[in-house]
Amino acid sequence: MFEDFAYARPESVAQAAQLLQDETAHALAGGSDLLGCLRERIFPVKTIVSLSSLKELRGIARTAEGGLSLGALTTLAEVAGSTEVQTLYPGLAQAAAEVASPQLRNQGTLGGNLCQKTRCWYYRGDFDCLRKGGASCLAVHGENHLHCIFGGDACYMVHPSDTAPMLQALQATVWVAGPAGDRSLPLEQLFMPPAQDPTRETTLQPGELVTHIHLPPPMAGQQTSYRKVRARRSWDFALAGVALAVIIEDEIVTSCRMVLSGAAPFPWQATQAEALLTGAALTRERVRAAASAAMQGAEPLTHNAYKIELFKGIIQEELARLVRE
Amino acid sequence: MADSGYFDPVSPLIQPARPGEAPHPWGHTTLIGQRIPRVDAYERVSGAAVFPSDVQLPGMLHAAILHCPYAHAIVRRLETTRAKALPGVRDIITAETPEAKISWPYGEGYAPPLFDTQLRFEGEEVAAVAAETPWQAWDAVRALEVQFDERPAAVAERLALTEKAPNVHPGGNLARPIQTYARGDLGKGLAEAAVVLSGSFRTASQLHIPLERHGCVAMWDGDGLTVWESTQGVFPVQEQLAAVLGLPLTRVRVRGGYVGGGFGSKLQTSKYAVIAAILARRTGRPVKLFLSREQTMLSMGLRPAAIMEMQLAAKGDGSLTATSLSVLASGGAYGGAGSALVDWLAKDLYRCPNVRTELTDVMLHSQPARPFRAPGYPQGAWALEQMMDRLADALGMDPVALRLQNIPTVSQARDGSPAYTTTGLKACLEEGAAAFGWQESRQRTAAQPATFTTRRGVGMAACNWLVGGGFPPATVVLKLLGDGSIILNMGASDIGGGTKTIMAMVAAEELGVTLDRIHIEHADTATTQYATASGGSKTVPTEAPAVREAAQELKRQLLGWAAEELGVKAEALRYEGASIVVINHQEKKGKSPKRIAVTNLARLRQQRVAMGVGHKRANPKNKAICPFGAQFCEVEVNTLTGEVRVVRFLACHESGRVMNRLTYDCQVHGGVVMGTGFALTEARILDAASGKLCNRNLHDYKLPTMLDVATQTVSLPLKLPDDAANSAGAKGLGEPVVVPTAPAIANAVADALRPWQVRCTATPITPAALLQALAAAKEA
């Protein structure tokens, strides 16, 4: 059923990086996404590079600064269940807990959740989709109920991750190992906008793999949350999601980061809403205004205009919980 | 008194009626109606149960089918050389294979070749491969080189009827003349009404997703074919295979055993069984052929989408004066009635003198529809039961009161308007409403301020079902062995509803034996007796009376033997399970009545087996036998996000006698879950441009999860033994339970959104649909 492939289980990150330089080599972490891609033969796979021996990529540790370092192979269930995550970044524990189903959270990893492929049915299904090398995006004039309202260009997928928007709201840094050594980048730079390259999901270079995600220590008074709406209540990706990291001091919002899932081909930072909220008191009127601001410039397709109302709804709902009246 | 293997019944065992007569009605029962765990529960839970998909035979090959990847295409060329050369490949059959040059009867006059070069739906069979492993078979399918000529497809019902639409078959896409039904005078009914309402409704197509995929194992032994098939009925499969392969019935054996769900999609066999048989014949080895999940979703049937226009009119007191319904639907590419029975509830559920319905069936480049748990009914209920609620609102009446105002005593849709044997509709409405707390709940939801964004709503809907009483033929054999143990032999499949358990209970109730003494042989055309497929909610009302008849026959025989042996008349004897007793034997003090143990009967000791054969009798003439029900639910709607959460459900169903309270409740829960999926999450989505299925896996096709269904579902059976219906007093349950669920949810959602007068008229009620409806209402 699958194409023939070689299976390698490197003992070190350097070896893994070496093996992953081949474009037809793919990293296997939890496998919950890769297995489906293999079955559907979405892209050629000649070598599977299992990361299972790389124990150093697993687990959650405190950083010297007081933040957390999350190994890329930490399972989503471990992230959701970690007391430290729950205490320092409750929104991240929520986001990890909202992914898929219990079985998939036990198997799927944080690194895999960031690097997964889109769930667009034209990409996954038996269609000649642009991202797979086809002539054009079929969703743009097709069944685009689940597709993006922001950031679409050539491809109109939505990024499927629940943890990515929350990590972006928390200003996470991604550590990457590669043939040229280690480097770090802000999480938002991990994702490849389709305008730049509609055939790649990440900016990782051949041979690179995500090793850790670093979170800065939570700022005093920071409140975090992740809210997700989906077509069914388990085992489903977001129709719309909002990750919030907000600090309110003396009734005034001093810092606000709002990142949306289900909106764009990458986690969508609602900068206009952030700007509107920052420096002002959080009132019900401002909440409504922020929800509208977040949707400014949205470009819905034929079947997904509902997302505008939906995003406004969840943003209002989430911000309203912070209002003290 | 009872020796091991017999029990002391609560009430005396029922004695056989006179020869030729039906068994006496059960009065009080001992086992029947109790909560009895399934007789095969251990096998099912432990994994010991062998389903057809578990069958492994020595030397068995595995087969896979190449299906058409387009909604409409012509095969220009098919090259097998590369596939044949792959390791493990043993056979490939195509349209050119002599054995495969047979036609496949879809019905309604459509009998295309098994492998046609003109392909009319995505998923239609093109060729098949047999190989040593399933993976080799799938690899070989992929290696088949086919040149398809993709053609434009018609996949939308309304568009398919326009002039420019591509034809599925020559002569236009209207599948049959428009079917009309009329009684009374619709115009007069509309004229005398105080309120006339009209509305448009739509239900999405629901795909069949039984847990066990469709497939079989085929094996030849000389000239005889044995097929293990996951099926609801081994005999229809046998008949169809024999007809297509040109074999006598005696040379086709179909074995069912366990089946991992069917819901109507496994009432008959499919091309795969013929393909497996041909491959097995050609290779001389058993062949296993189970479809992939994608293939079952593409070709194993669906509940057709329905586009409905309805008009409902009533007097000021709520009495209905006129009902009209027009339906547009499709049975797919090969005829079939996509609209069948969609109008039945509109014609039959409520008393209404003036009714007109119109059913239009269109051909589409889409897989043939198949019966789907209560075919037609949930679609029709979606329209009718929402219209009833709108009517109640317009009249200022309570929805339950409006329905109570229109309870019929006869089946108006049937010729001659026969009376129902029993009707529990009124009682289901009243008792269901009382148990649910309907009045209080309505007051509570009405008192919610419009400013609440998280809102509760309550709703209800009612139903009946077409064939609740069962019907002939059915033959059951009961065998009593020398040690007093029993073999229950019946052809019917247990599709998960608990048929085996219930029939064992019937035999035990009649004979006084314990359940562990009963061995069940079923669903095998070679060793069990003819039964129709388990469908239509008719298995219990069909088979249970036959079991009773067989038990009566067996008891009569044992009484006859005892009479001979004891030198008394059979009428002077009483069957007491373990023994046979002489009636009125005035025992003196200390002297027990004269009795003989059944296992000590000389005739049994000599013959080693006693046998009773029972048949399902004809149904009573000029009577309609129907189950009824009413369901009530409470939902929570988030008006900011469009999310709907089903908080609680109460299902009050009248299906005659409750045979096994445990399996009864399972049916109710399963029906409500399936109906909840129909209401809230499930929809087949086709790419409009290509006609191809977008959501072809279990992630994209949204079956509800446990978090999507009500956390609290109460099953409240209305126990109303229907002795006129059949000797078990039971009517069907499996299908009615799915009928009112979706409109009950829709009515509850409408109740929650009352301040904006919003009603979702299309399934599924997704966050998208609800937000759009709300936005439109707020704008207006």
Side-chain angles (χ1 to χ4, degrees):
Chain A
M1 283 196 81
F2 296 167
E3 264 185 291
D4 287 349
F5 55 79
Y7 181 85
R9 191 164 54 207
E11 294 296 325
S12 70
V13 172
Q15 264 180 21
Q18 177 92 29
L19 288 162
L20 287 168
Q21 286 192 63
D22 185 342
E23 254 195 45
T24 59
H26 286 263
L28 169 65
S32 58
D33 188 29
L34 182 61
L35 203 64
C37 292
L38 286 174
R39 189 173 177 279
E40 306 292 344
R41 301 198 185 203
I42 291 172
F43 42 79
V45 179
K46 295 272 184 257
T47 308
I48 285 184
V49 181
S50 166
L51 308 182
S52 59
S53 290
L54 309 181
K55 305 284 182 236
E56 65 271 35
L57 302 195
R58 187 158 185 165
I60 298 167
R62 279 270 189 174
T63 59
E65 302 79 48
L68 287 184
S69 169
L70 304 152
L73 292 184
T74 311
T75 67
L76 292 160
E78 287 164 350
V79 174
S82 154
T83 315
E84 287 183 309
V85 174
Q86 286 171 2
T87 312
L88 299 176
Y89 318 100
L92 179 59
Q94 275 174 16
E98 290 284 305
V99 176
S101 64
Q103 295 92 328
L104 288 163
R105 291 195 293 275
N106 284 333
Q107 186 67 20
T109 64
L110 185 59
N113 193 255
L114 298 178
C115 297
Q116 63 186 311
K117 305 285 183 182
T118 174
R119 303 304 310 191
C120 170
W121 44 43
Y122 292 104
Y123 178 73
R124 298 271 168 172
D126 184 16
F127 292 98
D128 199 15
C129 134
L130 174 78
R131 187 167 284 277
K132 290 192 291 190
S136 65
C137 173
L138 297 168
V140 66
H141 299 300
E143 307 311 312
N144 47 37
H145 316 64
L146 307 176
H147 292 74
C148 70
I149 55 170
F150 287 110
D153 192 331
C155 166
Y156 292 82
M157 65 175 256
V158 288
H159 197 273
S161 175
D162 292 310
T163 58
M166 194 65 238
L167 289 170
Q168 188 167 326
L170 293 170
Q171 296 178 276
T173 303
V174 179
W175 280 87
V176 169
D182 295 353
R183 68 180 175 108
S184 69
L185 64 162
L187 181 107
E188 47 265 51
Q189 290 176 16
L190 178 66
F191 307 104
M192 178 67 80
Q196 280 176 46
D197 185 349
T199 65
R200 294 168 63 201
E201 292 75 27
T202 70
T203 56
L204 294 177
Q205 296 302 305
E208 286 192 328
L209 67 154
V210 175
T211 59
H212 294 88
I213 291 95
H214 281 207
L215 287 170
M219 290 177 281
Q222 176 176 279
Q223 302 184 61
T224 64
S225 66
Y226 181 70
R227 167 79 160 101
K228 173 180 178 181
V229 173
R230 45 190 157 180
R232 63 181 168 197
R233 290 178 172 260
S234 179
W235 191 28
D236 212 353
F237 293 87
L239 294 171
V242 56
L244 278 178
V246 180
I247 300 173
I248 302 174
E249 285 171 35
D250 301 329
E251 317 269 301
I252 303 296
V253 176
T254 57
S255 162
C256 172
R257 286 175 67 88
M258 181 191 294
V259 186
L260 309 180
S261 57
F266 39 87
W268 182 258
Q269 191 147 358
T271 47
Q272 281 160 303
E274 290 175 354
L276 195 116
L277 289 165
T278 308
L282 195 63
T283 60
R284 296 203 175 271
E285 294 73 52
R286 195 152 286 264
V287 163
R288 267 193 294 275
S292 294
M295 288 299 105
Q296 250 170 48
E299 293 179 310
L301 304 167
T302 36
H303 299 296
N304 67 1
Y306 72 91
K307 284 196 175 189
I308 293 176
E309 285 302 309
L310 180 49
F311 274 112
K312 284 184 189 170
I314 51 170
I315 292 168
Q316 271 188 60
E317 196 182 71
E318 283 303 283
L319 289 174
R321 297 196 301 115
L322 304 173
V323 176
R324 290 215 191 103
E325 280 177 350
Chain B
M1 182 55 55
D3 77 14
S4 88
Y6 289 88
F7 61 86
D8 281 322
V10 172
S11 48
L13 289 175
I14 208 139
Q15 301 302 309
R18 278 197 292 275
E21 284 183 6
H24 302 302
W26 276 324
H28 190 70
T29 54
T30 301
L31 285 177
I32 294 295
Q34 301 296 312
R35 295 176 177 273
I36 306 286
R38 287 168 199 253
V39 293
D40 51 8
Y42 178 82
E43 286 78 0
R44 286 179 185 274
V45 173
S46 65
V50 178
F51 289 75
S53 49
D54 296 324
V55 168
Q56 299 285 351
L57 299 174
M60 186 174 81
L61 295 174
H62 297 265
I65 292 173
L66 171 71
H67 67 253
C68 177
Y70 304 105
H72 184 197
I74 292 165
V75 179
R76 293 291 180 209
R77 196 177 64 85
L78 201 167
E79 185 55 60
T80 60
T81 321
R82 204 161 69 83
K84 263 190 188 137
L86 288 178
V89 174
R90 295 290 168 258
D91 196 16
I92 297 175
I93 58 173
T94 69
E96 300 304 315
T97 309
E99 292 89 335
K101 293 193 177 193
I102 50 179
S103 63
W104 179 259
Y106 277 111
E108 304 215 358
Y110 294 102
L114 185 66
F115 297 124
D116 203 350
T117 50
Q118 167 98 24
L119 298 162
R120 298 178 183 87
F121 64 92
E122 185 189 19
E124 194 162 13
E125 297 80 353
V126 178
V129 177
E132 296 290 341
T133 71
W135 303 280
Q136 288 171 333
W138 285 112
D139 284 347
V141 159
R142 198 176 278 270
L144 289 167
E145 294 162 277
V146 193
Q147 192 189 326
F148 289 105
D149 182 2
E150 189 184 0
R151 316 291 296 176
V155 292
E157 289 81 1
R158 281 211 173 109
L159 282 176
L161 289 176
T162 56
E163 211 157 283
K164 282 185 184 160
N167 279 359
V168 181
H169 298 278
N173 289 331
L174 193 63
R176 58 173 74 186
I178 291 169
Q179 315 271 301
T180 55
Y181 165 92
R183 71 168 180 256
D185 180 343
L186 189 73
K188 180 172 155 277
L190 292 171
E192 67 194 26
V195 175
V196 178
L197 295 175
S198 36
S200 305
F201 298 87
R202 221 173 227 280
T203 56
S205 176
Q206 193 178 18
L207 292 176
H208 267 300
I209 317 276
L211 193 53
E212 184 183 31
R213 288 168 290 131
H214 300 70
C216 70
V217 178
M219 181 187 78
W220 290 86
D221 185 359
D223 284 338
L225 170 67
T226 300
V227 173
W228 286 258
E229 168 137 346
S230 180
T231 180
Q232 295 174 242
V234 288
F235 292 94
V237 174
Q238 178 199 32
E239 285 171 354
Q240 204 175 350
L241 279 177
V244 171
L245 294 169
L247 295 169
L249 289 174
T250 47
R251 277 173 38 201
V252 180
R253 177 182 184 185
V254 177
R255 303 178 66 170
Y258 288 94
V259 49
F263 308 104
S265 69
K266 294 176 182 169
L267 289 167
Q268 292 185 314
T269 192
S270 311
K271 280 186 185 175
Y272 60 75
V274 175
I275 291 169
I278 293 171
L279 288 167
R281 184 72 161 179
R282 283 164 54 90
T283 58
R285 294 169 66 174
V287 169
K288 185 173 196 170
L289 175 46
F290 273 80
L291 302 185
S292 68
R293 180 60 74 187
E294 290 87 342
Q295 287 179 327
T296 74
M297 296 173 86
L298 286 170
S299 63
M300 288 295 113
L302 43 74
R303 184 190 297 288
I307 299 167
M308 297 170 281
E309 300 288 336
M310 188 161 200
Q311 213 171 17
L312 199 59
K315 293 181 185 163
D317 68 353
S319 308
L320 296 181
T321 59
T323 306
S324 80
L325 175 67
S326 70
V327 181
L328 176 62
S330 173
Y334 293 100
S339 66
L341 296 175
V342 175
D343 63 339
W344 192 270
L345 288 172
K347 298 189 296 196
D348 203 48
L349 183 60
Y350 300 116
R351 202 181 52 227
C352 182
N354 308 301
V355 179
R356 191 183 149 79
T357 71
E358 188 182 280
L359 305 177
T360 306
D361 273 287
V362 56
M363 295 277 198
L364 293 179
H365 288 105
S366 164
Q367 58 168 306
R370 292 190 177 193
F372 196 132
R373 200 172 190 172
Y377 273 60
Q379 299 97 299
W382 178 256
L384 172 64
E385 288 300 89
Q386 292 206 63
M387 286 297 282
M388 286 295 280
D389 264 39
R390 283 185 51 196
L391 192 59
D393 278 353
L395 291 163
M397 281 179 85
D398 179 277
V400 173
L402 174 64
R403 287 165 174 89
L404 287 171
Q405 177 70 22
N406 292 286
I407 303 282
T409 54
V410 300
S411 175
Q412 304 158 91
R414 287 176 169 82
D415 285 343
S417 299
Y420 293 114
T421 47
T422 54
T423 164
L425 182 57
K426 180 169 179 286
C428 284
L429 287 163
E430 288 172 342
E431 293 187 24
F436 183 81
W438 175 250
Q439 297 290 352
E440 309 85 271
S441 303
R442 291 256 301 169
Q443 285 161 11
R444 179 164 46 82
T445 60
Q448 294 173 106
T451 50
F452 281 18
T453 53
T454 301
R455 314 183 60 79
R456 291 291 176 103
V458 290
M460 55 81 53
C463 73
N464 69 18
W465 170 240
L466 189 69
V467 282
F471 43 79
T475 298
V476 167
V477 178
L478 281 173
K479 288 193 271 189
L480 171 71
L481 305 186
D483 66 349
S485 56
I486 300 285
I487 292 174
L488 193 168
N489 179 288
M490 62 169 177
S493 296
D494 182 347
I495 57 173
T499 308
K500 281 157 75 182
T501 308
I502 291 169
M503 297 317 140
M505 287 166 69
V506 173
E509 182 80 38
E510 288 286 324
L511 298 171
V513 298
T514 56
L515 285 169
D516 58 2
R517 264 301 163 95
I518 300 173
H519 172 74
I520 300 165
E521 299 169 346
H522 80 305
D524 182 338
T525 61
T527 60
T528 64
Q529 311 313 312
Y530 186 89
T532 48
S534 295
S537 305
K538 59 93 186 126
T539 311
V540 163
T542 299
E543 302 297 326
V547 176
R548 286 206 70 195
E549 300 265 359
Q552 165 163 287
E553 191 60 39
L554 179 61
K555 286 190 279 193
R556 202 179 278 135
Q557 194 175 123
L558 295 172
L559 288 166
W561 290 355
E564 235 170 64
E565 211 164 318
L566 297 170
V568 296
K569 283 186 175 169
E571 294 76 48
L573 297 172
R574 191 171 65 230
Y575 177 86
E576 283 197 353
S579 49
I580 288 169
V581 179
V582 181
I583 307 172
N584 296 331
H585 184 273
Q586 290 302 321
E587 63 265 42
K588 293 176 183 123
K589 257 191 179 156
K591 209 175 172 194
S592 50
K594 195 172 179 189
R595 61 174 64 233
I596 182 165
V598 165
T599 49
N600 278 337
L601 284 169
R603 186 72 181 273
L604 184 66
R605 291 170 72 95
Q606 182 261 326
Q607 195 168 297
R608 310 309 290 169
V609 65
M611 209 184 309
V613 180
H615 304 279
K616 168 77 175 96
R617 283 168 194 268
N619 285 340
K621 286 204 170 67
N622 304 320
K623 290 278 182 186
I625 309 167
C626 295
F628 296 86
Q631 294 183 359
F632 300 78
C633 76
E634 179 161 353
V635 301
E636 186 180 271
V637 178
N638 184 331
T639 55
L640 289 174
T641 63
E643 293 166 295
V644 175
R645 188 166 69 88
V646 185
V647 180
R648 62 186 179 118
F649 238 98
L650 182 135
C652 184
H653 283 270
E654 188 267 299
S655 287
R657 185 187 298 280
V658 176
M659 299 295 281
N660 178 343
R661 182 62 199 272
L662 215 46
T663 56
Y664 186 102
D665 289 351
C666 285
Q667 288 278 26
V668 170
H669 286 264
V672 170
V673 167
M674 198 172 234
T676 303
F678 183 60
L680 296 178
T681 58
E682 290 182 56
R684 173 174 80 146
I685 297 168
L686 297 176
D687 175 51
S690 65
K692 282 164 66 66
L693 181 64
C694 287
N695 48 352
R696 62 179 64 211
N697 57 53
L698 295 181
H699 164 253
D700 286 322
Y701 184 82
K702 310 289 181 191
L703 285 177
T705 69
M706 286 313 286
L707 296 182
D708 296 294
V709 299
T711 44
Q712 187 201 340
T713 299
V714 176
S715 162
L716 179 72
L718 192 79
K719 295 170 186 167
L720 199 68
D722 190 344
D723 291 326
N726 57 64
S727 67
K731 300 189 282 195
L733 178 67
E735 281 161 301
V737 290
V738 82
V739 175
T741 307
I745 291 173
N747 286 336
V749 169
D751 183 46
L753 302 179
R754 201 169 285 279
W756 302 277
Q757 298 282 301
V758 168
R759 182 168 281 283
C760 293
T761 55
T763 70
I765 307 178
T766 58
L770 201 141
L771 285 176
Q772 278 163 345
L774 254 179
K778 283 177 181 168
E779 222 163 88

